[in-house]
Amino acid sequence: MRRALLFAWALLGVALATPAAAQDGCDDLWFTRNLVFDRAGYCFGSALGQATFDNSDCVGKSVALDPASERLVNEVKRLESVFGCRVDTSRRQLSAGDWAIRRQLAELPIRDEFESACLRYLGAPRALHAAPWPGSAIVGRIDPSNDVSYAHYGLDGGVYVRTYTGASQFAAPLSGGWLLQPLGETDCAQWAG
């Protein structure tokens, strides 16, 4: 299944006609990979690394990753290679994203570029979690009338979503996190993507 998704993403990469769309995806992957290193105590030397992460608690340039983090980093590096990502680390800002939300997560998602959306959520408020398992901290929620964007996956399953107001998916999200119970077909006024 994952191979089929990656092959389709590679085909979609050709369809990413605007450099901004491609840059957003590469910035997203770069952020995820480097957040793992930041949490391990890595000291960033690049302008972008220093502007994005806090070096005040860093321990060095050579940090050890636990097996789960190493697996995540390897998957992100592979995707960066597949899509030819070349993030300019001399700049001081990433493209718009959900960076503050993702810093709260215990389990980090990986951007998959198969964006879809639930347009105008019709149900009761739903909790979004820091990880894709029960008992993890609640870090956000889906409220009635929110749009819910799907564009990330977890290495071990799970669905990471972001919420927006109306057709504002090019703005910063209102909320984000792991959705423990999938939305049903009737939970949304319309599905896109």
Side-chain angles (χ1 to χ4, degrees):
M1 173 75 171
R2 175 132 318 118
R3 288 186 196 274
L5 288 173
L6 293 174
F7 177 73
W9 193 28
L11 291 176
L12 182 63
V14 174
L16 290 176
T18 66
Q23 185 62 50
D24 289 352
C26 289
D27 278 4
D28 195 291
L29 291 167
W30 182 92
F31 178 82
T32 297
R33 177 172 50 83
N34 284 287
L35 182 55
V36 172
F37 281 102
D38 180 60
R39 289 177 174 181
Y42 184 81
C43 295
F44 292 91
S46 71
L48 186 58
Q50 289 178 2
T52 306
F53 301 105
D54 179 11
N55 269 349
S56 68
D57 60 348
C58 72
V59 296
K61 293 257 184 211
S62 184
V63 296
L65 299 179
D66 62 76
S69 295
E70 191 169 324
R71 188 171 153 235
L72 179 67
V73 165
N74 287 337
E75 174 70 1
V76 170
K77 283 181 177 180
R78 189 181 70 70
L79 291 171
E80 287 173 316
S81 176
V82 166
F83 302 113
C85 291
R86 304 275 186 270
V87 173
D88 176 6
T89 58
S90 67
R91 62 189 166 119
R92 301 205 48 82
Q93 186 174 344
L94 290 169
S95 59
D98 59 348
W99 318 131
I101 294 167
R102 301 234 314 261
R103 289 177 195 276
Q104 301 175 62
L105 301 178
E107 185 82 9
L108 298 177
I110 300 172
R111 173 113 177 215
D112 72 7
E113 289 303 317
F114 286 112
E115 191 150 2
S116 62
C118 160
L119 303 176
R120 206 164 59 85
Y121 173 66
L122 302 172
R126 302 271 301 266
L128 298 175
H129 293 260
W133 54 77
S136 60
I138 294 173
V139 295
R141 71 183 202 192
I142 303 172
D143 286 319
S145 79
N146 284 165
D147 287 343
V148 182
S149 170
Y150 294 77
H152 294 78
Y153 67 92
L155 278 181
D156 295 316
V159 177
Y160 175 80
V161 300
R162 296 172 294 188
T163 65
Y164 300 87
T165 300
S168 64
Q169 291 189 18
F170 295 106
L174 298 171
S175 184
W178 294 94
L179 182 61
L180 301 187
Q181 297 284 325
L183 298 180
E185 290 294 319
T186 61
D187 287 331
C188 306
Q190 183 178 354
W191 285 88

